[in-house]
Amino acid sequence: MSGSTFGRLFRVTNFGESHGPAIGCVIDGCPPGLPLAADDLQPDLDRRKPGTSRHVTQRRESDRVEILSGVFRGETTGTPIALLIRNEDQRSSDYDELVDTFRPGHADYAYWRKYGRRDPRGGGRSSARLTAPMVAAGAVAKKWLHAQYGTLVRGCMQQLGPIAVPFERWEDAATNPFFAPNAGIVAALEAHMDALRKRGDSCGARIRVVASGVPVGLGSPLYDKLDADIAYAMMGINAVKGVEIGAGFGAVTQLGSEHGDELLPEGFASNHAGGVLGGISTGQDLEVSIAVKPTSSIRLPRRSIDARNQAVTVATHGRHDPCVGIRATPIAEAMLALVLIDHALIHRAHCGDVRLDVPPIAAHARP
Amino acid sequence: MSGSTFGRLFRVTNFGESHGPAIGCVIDGCPPGLPLAADDLQPDLDRRKPGTSRHVTQRRESDRVEILSGVFRGETTGTPIALLIRNEDQRSSDYDELVDTFRPGHADYAYWRKYGRRDPRGGGRSSARLTAPMVAAGAVAKKWLHAQYGTLVRGCMQQLGPIAVPFERWEDAATNPFFAPNAGIVAALEAHMDALRKRGDSCGARIRVVASGVPVGLGSPLYDKLDADIAYAMMGINAVKGVEIGAGFGAVTQLGSEHGDELLPEGFASNHAGGVLGGISTGQDLEVSIAVKPTSSIRLPRRSIDARNQAVTVATHGRHDPCVGIRATPIAEAMLALVLIDHALIHRAHCGDVRLDVPPIAAHARP
Amino acid sequence: MSGSTFGRLFRVTNFGESHGPAIGCVIDGCPPGLPLAADDLQPDLDRRKPGTSRHVTQRRESDRVEILSGVFRGETTGTPIALLIRNEDQRSSDYDELVDTFRPGHADYAYWRKYGRRDPRGGGRSSARLTAPMVAAGAVAKKWLHAQYGTLVRGCMQQLGPIAVPFERWEDAATNPFFAPNAGIVAALEAHMDALRKRGDSCGARIRVVASGVPVGLGSPLYDKLDADIAYAMMGINAVKGVEIGAGFGAVTQLGSEHGDELLPEGFASNHAGGVLGGISTGQDLEVSIAVKPTSSIRLPRRSIDARNQAVTVATHGRHDPCVGIRATPIAEAMLALVLIDHALIHRAHCGDVRLDVPPIAAHARP
Amino acid sequence: MSGSTFGRLFRVTNFGESHGPAIGCVIDGCPPGLPLAADDLQPDLDRRKPGTSRHVTQRRESDRVEILSGVFRGETTGTPIALLIRNEDQRSSDYDELVDTFRPGHADYAYWRKYGRRDPRGGGRSSARLTAPMVAAGAVAKKWLHAQYGTLVRGCMQQLGPIAVPFERWEDAATNPFFAPNAGIVAALEAHMDALRKRGDSCGARIRVVASGVPVGLGSPLYDKLDADIAYAMMGINAVKGVEIGAGFGAVTQLGSEHGDELLPEGFASNHAGGVLGGISTGQDLEVSIAVKPTSSIRLPRRSIDARNQAVTVATHGRHDPCVGIRATPIAEAMLALVLIDHALIHRAHCGDVRLDVPPIAAHARP
């Protein structure tokens, strides 16, 4: 309601600013009895954290998370899990000149007009740094979903600026800083990023996230549709400008006889729907694709105004990701996991009694 | 929370099924003092209603709305506005054979597995008929937004199946059943639909919705971003598979130096952001585009299963829209208006005191 | 959030005014598969409805409820259940003189200052008439709770003005218009009410509500405590000024060694807690007691002001209950049932997996 | 929804356990521009903290609060304010024997059955220690309310066990550890507590909280009534068993001609309503009274069971308040302030445009 809490029954309340003393979140509604330690959260935090390659921001943060509550003797207790990450590498002086200047493509101007003030240090509350607690919360969700249903949430890069990244295998995505599921294309991606960085410009990306092993029946038929909540979660990630489920915009030119996935006793014949029909999960893989815009903080000079509506020129020299899409993969995974656990809890509240004799049919196996 | 209420402070709770006695909604949180009568809601309901051309379902519904509460002497009182629309043209017998059969591309299967039962008459709760109360509620929102800020919410068709619809003028959209903003292309659209209907197939569409005159400052920086809520609202419309804000997926191949909208004392130099930055409205036009999948109910026979996982063949002979995208325009407008009024109320709750001496800059004028 | 929805997962959204065309509610979140018909709701509506004895308002309303949605072939479908009750006996002319006058003890003045306008007909939205849909929704909750856990929610009068009503047996409460669980005292209550009505005055009452067969474990330890939600529900009933759980204000003078209920292998030794400890149900009877103030609408003349702050004299001649407490019993039962079903759903969302080998101990049997 | 967030637009999410590393809260929705520092929160925290006299628990906590976010250059930014309080004096070994034993009158048993596990150290999540962050959040609310409307929220003791505490003056409440508004009675209270402590028993208390300078118009007419939310807030405080607004249970024996507060051009003639009518604030003082049960942790041996339903004897030797009511005063003040700021924000969202020419009448001046 006030904009810093995500979810309905599995609720994550986020706090902090890019250059304040700490960031973190409170997870309320995690079921009791889940084995949990900081080590469960660290791997995803490490995948997201800055400074891991020359292609991302060089800010140095260890992003070590402290669990302040909600875990007793190695298991969740059912009460709020508070997570704390101290900021370590603030260079607020980078931003002194920006206090009264609005960077094109940034939240600066809208933010200042909304609140009548803003914290210019590293984007303050608008910084992508605030996705770190989301990723930690997402790791809790992933662990529960996997324990409960065998659900697997995975993401990868589909396109970097003009370079399409054909999917080869999930394993490859873990071997390069781009989360490219195709080891053979990494050299081209690196060359592209090096040239871009040299020019002081930035580029966009397209990211794919998939959840497999999703139980059938999650989501509501009218407003809190599973796909609507996924769209909300994805569009809420910094710099995202588009969201697709399944065939997405490709559905515009499909025929009905082509798009509708046939059901066979042995399983679905295709998955153009991307795992959701009428707002409810079908048991097929959830297929989500998002567009990430090019980073707004670039070295190239751009025209803008200051807080007195006077013309200025802005060039950003702080430490920034030349493509925010690169680090978006673990964030998008986390958000998908958060949507799923929330719907799983809501579903068992309302339909916990429903029993059917016939088992669900198999998902279509995508290569 | 339970899936039938939209919004936080301007809340619309929807009820009804396609072939039940009535559909409707309760609008809670409308500010007092807005002049309101059923006649304010009817025009948008008429734009959405079935049977208005040969290109949409031939179901005959007058969709007359009755205001049951919340209005006294022609003005809203601040208390809930209940809207009731009686269903008139139920032909439930059309659906008898479908009780135990799942139509490919429909919610049937997922719905049945979720609830252990379903109302097969016209899709029951999954029917696009339930968008009628949304459209009525959206008309209330539109009226308030226009009175308060001069906001204008308009939509039109961008593409019908393979046929792109170049934007000519808003006025044209009111003159044809496709909401095509281009009178010259209507004949081609009609020919396409006639051929499709003859074949018993269906097609997708792309719809554009724009809000102009949006105040700067709506939305929250982290989770309840204005664009996230728009994505939620749009993806929640029946058959929508993709949502874009501003440049959308086009941002993937843009450079940062190209995408970021420059600010000049006389106004924004472009609007690739589509009116939102960092989750907060910039005062520019909100530019939204959605992908609508082809209708799943088609006459062509398709493979499916029944409730015992036995193979069946399904061909749908009820009355259906061969392109659900055609009637999606007023629905998408309504959803955008509902998001905006909700954020306008939340904004004045939190930031009602904020005063700035400098006026906002002008929006970029899109041709 | 906007004030007309009760509950979190079992949500009841209420609409209507005392003298508008209709009142009703939308129940969202009822689990599927509950057998339900209008006849299940009517008995409680009849217990609450006006005109059933000379001791309550003589307004004539049949309070017949129509189920508009959410039930298919005699069972709930899991989708919203809309309930509609048409108002039949509006005498708005009774209120013409009141438009600009504020009745002492009524919401009139505060309401007018809040909204800048008000519907004076029968109290508009502030009327106790709006409890009818609550009672209908409560009947749905009662039926589900009884089917699921054997829960029984019952209420009775404890005191009418100065007359204490010693508890004799539940059966008696069904045999008199006061819901007095003591047939022997009814003559005294009638005499008291007759004298009061003659004088044109009104009196208060104390009502007791009990839920037995409540599962252990409902409620949250910090904010959404079961007893906090009960207090919210009860204080929200028209004219209620006080709420007690278990020993209530009597606990102020108890010693710890007296108040704390001992646990024995064969069951609890007492129930001073009233069925809740630390915000969580213990499996004991929920014991709630409420204070209902005397009706504000009385024939005796009282000093007041009009909308221009001018002194006036007000005497109310419409049809009113000389003791609103008399009809409060079925309302309080309904509210308690609504709190319980909501917490039951939330509980199984979060703790649906919890299994213990040892059975709960028995509740203390109150005579 | 998940039980650890209080409020709708001014939202406080609480975390922590009595003997974990830290407790705290995240305040989301505080308007921007409020001057704020840790020193604003400390005075109320110090009034609540343990160890300040021999009549309360001897646990030693400095309860120093750290502001982690949401404040920039001494003012709130409009983004979440995270507050952290490290626990310093954990003596978890006090509780080793309690792991499998349920203390009568405590949440232990219900908690364990709900979650299938519990953190026995100091009551874990059920500890009154979790009220510290509430008190800190309440201090933020108090400061904003006072700056905005001149609202003053004050509390005092009304009764300690059998000893009534006649109100003399607010100033006295600040001069003794009982918050007794009557310096002359303090010696009697001390003697009572000393005797009780010696016997190893505990007693209850009645606390009064008053808000003056409350704007007229806060609250909703049906469910989110101001008094209903106050009842929710108060009953949610540890050990509270009863809540009264205005005349409270005294209204049961009042006549309508006595209870209804007359309105005169110069102001209200009385305040039996306690500042709320029809769920909406009247502009009069909000008068709230609560019953606090005797502490359940006492040295006297009591019968109970263990986790195998075996009979045991329990005597509590940890550090405990012999009357939890003593420290309840600042907590109740905080909760009342939190309800008021939340309703103030909601009110200006919905009714921010309402303007009336006639000023509100004065509140009745209570001696």
Side-chain angles (χ1 to χ4, degrees), chain C residues 8-359:
Chain C
R8 298 181 184 88
L9 284 182
F10 189 93
R11 299 172 68 76
V12 185
T13 298
N14 181 299
F15 65 86
E17 293 97 32
S18 179
H19 288 58
I23 59 177
C25 68
V26 180
I27 304 169
D28 194 21
C30 184
L34 179 72
L36 194 73
D39 285 349
D40 291 313
L41 317 180
Q42 209 59 52
D44 272 347
L45 281 168
D46 289 346
R47 290 169 73 215
R48 191 218 71 96
K49 81 175 176 189
T52 53
S53 80
R54 71 180 183 275
H55 307 297
V56 299
T57 171
Q58 295 306 299
R59 180 170 173 170
R60 291 282 159 187
E61 294 285 351
S62 63
D63 279 359
R64 300 301 306 181
V65 66
E66 183 185 4
I67 298 179
L68 294 179
S69 65
V71 176
F72 182 60
R73 297 184 178 167
E75 291 188 349
T76 59
T77 59
T79 58
I81 303 168
L83 303 180
L84 186 72
I85 299 171
R86 293 275 171 184
N87 287 325
E88 296 166 352
D89 184 17
Q90 304 105 306
R91 279 202 218 149
S92 302
S93 58
D94 282 2
Y95 302 96
D96 278 354
E97 61 185 281
L98 294 173
V99 179
D100 291 329
T101 304
F102 309 125
R103 293 165 297 172
H106 260 281
D108 299 350
Y109 170 77
Y111 199 100
W112 174 72
R113 292 214 71 93
K114 179 183 190 70
Y115 293 110
R117 76 203 61 235
R118 72 192 170 92
D119 172 356
R121 302 165 304 163
R125 184 72 178 154
S126 305
S127 168
R129 178 139 188 77
L130 274 313
T131 59
M134 298 188 203
V135 165
V140 178
K142 282 178 178 178
K143 188 166 189 192
W144 188 86
L145 289 164
H146 191 262
Q148 199 78 6
Y149 310 112
T151 307
L152 215 54
V153 181
R154 291 179 293 194
C156 62
M157 178 173 280
Q158 276 187 310
Q159 183 159 341
L160 179 78
I163 310 173
V165 180
F167 184 88
E168 285 293 329
R169 63 190 69 77
W170 283 114
E171 291 68 25
D172 285 11
T175 64
N176 62 81
F178 301 97
F179 301 95
N182 182 328
I185 212 163
V186 172
L189 301 178
E190 295 195 315
H192 181 73
M193 290 309 297
D194 287 340
L196 204 60
R197 205 165 57 244
K198 207 164 184 177
R199 289 210 312 276
D201 213 335
S202 62
C203 75
R206 178 192 271 264
I207 305 299
R208 177 188 171 209
V209 208
V210 182
S212 52
V214 176
V216 59
L218 307 189
S220 287
L222 198 74
Y223 288 133
D224 297 338
K225 287 176 164 142
L226 183 61
D227 39 359
D229 277 347
I230 292 171
Y232 165 78
M234 295 295 155
M235 196 67 94
I237 298 173
N238 306 50
V240 170
K241 302 304 288 182
V243 182
E244 295 183 322
I245 310 281
F249 281 89
V252 172
T253 49
Q254 285 181 317
L255 292 170
S257 54
E258 178 188 2
H259 177 87
D261 304 310
E262 291 183 312
L263 301 85
L264 310 176
E266 62 270 25
F268 282 94
S270 56
N271 187 14
H272 297 114
V276 197
L277 283 172
I280 302 173
S281 66
T282 59
Q284 297 231 71
D285 284 5
L286 279 172
E287 283 280 354
V288 183
S289 183
I290 60 176
V292 186
K293 73 176 185 184
T295 313
S296 303
S297 297
I298 55 177
R299 284 207 326 277
L300 293 174
R302 309 225 60 209
R303 294 176 297 168
S304 187
I305 57 169
D306 64 17
R308 285 162 305 281
N309 273 11
Q310 302 298 309
V312 296
T313 297
V314 176
T316 316
H317 295 292
R319 300 158 301 177
H320 297 283
D321 291 274
C323 173
V324 279
I326 294 177
R327 293 201 287 146
T329 294
I331 304 167
E333 291 172 16
M335 297 314 288
L336 185 55
L338 290 173
V339 171
L340 285 173
I341 192 172
D342 197 36
H343 274 280
L345 297 184
I346 293 173
H347 177 64
R348 76 179 187 190
H350 286 130
C351 300
D353 296 331
V354 174
R355 299 284 176 270
L356 291 172
D357 295 332
V358 182

Side-chain angles (χ1 to χ4, degrees), chain D residues 50-366:
Chain D
T52 52
S53 80
R54 72 181 183 274
H55 308 298
V56 298
T57 171
Q58 295 306 301
R59 180 169 173 170
R60 291 282 160 188
E61 293 286 351
S62 63
D63 278 0
R64 302 301 304 180
V65 65
E66 184 185 3
I67 298 179
L68 293 178
S69 66
V71 176
F72 181 60
R73 298 187 177 164
E75 292 189 346
T76 58
T77 58
T79 57
I81 303 168
L83 303 179
L84 189 71
I85 299 171
R86 292 276 171 186
N87 287 326
E88 296 167 352
D89 184 18
Q90 303 106 304
R91 282 201 215 149
S92 303
S93 59
D94 281 2
Y95 302 95
D96 279 355
E97 61 185 279
L98 294 173
V99 179
D100 291 329
T101 304
F102 309 125
R103 294 165 296 172
H106 260 281
D108 299 352
Y109 170 77
Y111 199 100
W112 173 72
R113 293 214 71 93
K114 179 182 190 70
Y115 294 110
R117 75 205 61 235
R118 71 191 173 92
D119 172 356
R121 303 165 302 162
R125 183 72 180 153
S126 306
S127 168
R129 178 141 188 75
L130 273 312
T131 59
M134 295 188 206
V135 165
V140 178
K142 281 179 179 177
K143 189 168 188 189
W144 187 87
L145 288 165
H146 191 261
Q148 198 78 5
Y149 309 112
T151 308
L152 216 54
V153 181
R154 291 178 292 195
C156 62
M157 177 172 280
Q158 277 188 309
Q159 184 159 341
L160 180 78
I163 309 174
V165 180
F167 184 87
E168 285 293 330
R169 63 191 69 78
W170 282 114
E171 292 69 25
D172 285 11
T175 64
N176 63 80
F178 301 98
F179 302 95
N182 182 329
I185 211 163
V186 173
L189 302 178
E190 294 195 315
H192 180 74
M193 290 308 299
D194 287 340
L196 204 60
R197 207 166 55 245
K198 206 163 185 177
R199 289 210 310 276
D201 213 334
S202 63
C203 74
R206 177 192 272 262
I207 306 299
R208 176 187 170 210
V209 208
V210 181
S212 52
V214 175
V216 59
L218 307 188
S220 287
L222 197 73
Y223 289 132
D224 297 338
K225 287 178 165 142
L226 183 62
D227 41 358
D229 277 346
I230 292 172
Y232 166 78
M234 295 297 154
M235 196 67 94
I237 298 173
N238 307 50
V240 170
K241 301 304 286 183
V243 182
E244 293 183 323
I245 310 281
F249 281 90
V252 172
T253 49
Q254 285 182 316
L255 293 169
S257 54
E258 178 189 2
H259 178 87
D261 303 308
E262 292 182 310
L263 300 87
L264 311 177
E266 61 271 24
F268 282 94
S270 58
N271 186 14
H272 296 113
V276 198
L277 284 171
I280 302 174
S281 65
T282 59
Q284 296 231 74
D285 285 6
L286 280 172
E287 285 279 355
V288 184
S289 184
I290 59 176
V292 186
K293 73 176 186 183
T295 313
S296 304
S297 296
I298 54 177
R299 286 208 323 279
L300 294 174
R302 311 224 59 211
R303 294 176 297 168
S304 188
I305 58 170
D306 63 16
R308 285 162 305 283
N309 273 10
Q310 302 298 309
V312 297
T313 297
V314 176
T316 316
H317 296 291
R319 301 159 300 178
H320 298 283
D321 291 275
C323 172
V324 280
I326 293 178
R327 294 202 288 146
T329 294
I331 303 166
E333 290 171 16
M335 296 314 286
L336 185 54
L338 290 172
V339 171
L340 285 174
I341 193 172
D342 197 35
H343 274 281
L345 297 184
I346 293 172
H347 177 65
R348 76 179 187 189
H350 287 130
C351 300
D353 295 332
V354 174
R355 298 285 176 271
L356 291 173
D357 296 333
V358 182
I361 60 172
H364 176 67
R366 171 169 165 151

Side-chain angles (χ1 to χ4, degrees), chain B residues 1-5 8-11 13-17 20-22 26 28-29 32-33 66-73 75-82 84 86 96 99 111 114-121 125, chain C residues 1-5 8-11 13-17 20-22 26 28-29 32-33 66-73 75-82 84 86 96 99 111 114-121 125:
Chain B
M1 175 64 51
S2 301
S4 300
T5 298
R8 297 180 184 89
L9 284 183
F10 189 93
R11 300 172 69 75
T13 299
N14 181 300
F15 65 87
E17 292 98 32
V26 181
D28 194 21
E66 183 186 3
I67 299 180
L68 294 178
S69 65
V71 176
F72 182 60
R73 297 184 177 166
E75 292 188 348
T76 58
T77 59
T79 56
I81 302 168
L84 187 72
R86 292 278 171 184
D96 278 354
V99 179
Y111 199 101
K114 179 182 190 71
Y115 293 110
R117 76 204 60 236
R118 71 191 171 93
D119 171 357
R121 303 166 303 162
R125 184 71 180 155
Chain C
M1 175 63 51
S2 300
S4 300
T5 298
R8 298 181 184 88
L9 284 182
F10 189 93
R11 299 172 68 76
T13 298
N14 181 299
F15 65 86
E17 293 97 32
V26 180
D28 194 21
E66 183 185 4
I67 298 179
L68 294 179
S69 65
V71 176
F72 182 60
R73 297 184 178 167
E75 291 188 349
T76 59
T77 59
T79 58
I81 303 168
L84 186 72
R86 293 275 171 184
D96 278 354
V99 179
Y111 199 100
K114 179 183 190 70
Y115 293 110
R117 76 203 61 235
R118 72 192 170 92
D119 172 356
R121 302 165 304 163
R125 184 72 178 154

Side-chain angles (χ1 to χ4, degrees), chain A residues 176-211:
Chain A
N176 63 80
F178 302 98
F179 301 96
N182 181 330
I185 211 163
V186 172
L189 301 179
E190 294 194 316
H192 181 74
M193 289 310 297
D194 287 340
L196 203 62
R197 207 166 53 245
K198 207 164 185 176
R199 290 210 311 275
D201 213 335
S202 63
C203 75
R206 178 192 270 264
I207 306 299
R208 176 188 170 210
V209 208
V210 182

